[in-house]
Amino acid sequence: MASITLLVGYMTKKGPVFIGQSLDGRFHPMWKNESLGSYHSVIAAIDDVAGGHTFSPSDGTDMDSLEISGDPGDWVPAKELL
C-alpha cells in the first residue's frame, strides 16, 4: 500500500484509531498500522469506523466494541496520540 499520512485520531480503551490520507487523496481508518478501508472524505471514514462498518482488522479486534465516537469534534490531531 502507498504511504499514508495520519491526520486525526481517537483514543479507545485498546489504543488509538486513526484516519490517514494516502497519496491518491483517499482517507483510511487505520488500526495498528492496517488500513480498514478507503473513503472519499474524513467524515465518511469516521462514520464507518465509528459504526463498525469497516473491514475487520487482521488481529481480530471487534471495532464496534471500542466505542469510537462518530463526532469529528471528538477526534484530535494524530500527533497527539503518537
Side-chain angles (χ1 to χ4, degrees):
M1 170 168 281
S3 176
I4 294 178
T5 301
L6 300 179
L7 303 175
V8 294
Y10 183 82
M11 183 56 76
T12 73
K13 59 189 173 191
K14 292 189 177 182
V17 61
F18 295 101
I19 303 298
Q21 187 174 28
S22 55
L23 295 175
D24 64 2
R26 302 288 290 180
F27 298 92
H28 302 261
M30 302 292 296
W31 179 251
K32 298 185 179 179
N33 296 317
E34 180 180 358
S35 173
L36 303 180
S38 177
Y39 296 85
H40 69 281
S41 73
V42 170
I43 301 301
I46 288 174
D47 284 347
D48 270 15
V49 76
H53 306 295
T54 61
F55 293 121
S56 297
S58 60
D59 70 357
T61 300
D62 177 6
M63 299 304 287
D64 197 38
S65 73
L66 297 180
E67 301 175 5
I68 299 167
S69 175
D71 180 350
D74 291 339
W75 291 63
V76 299
K79 63 183 176 183
E80 292 182 18
L81 300 177
L82 295 174

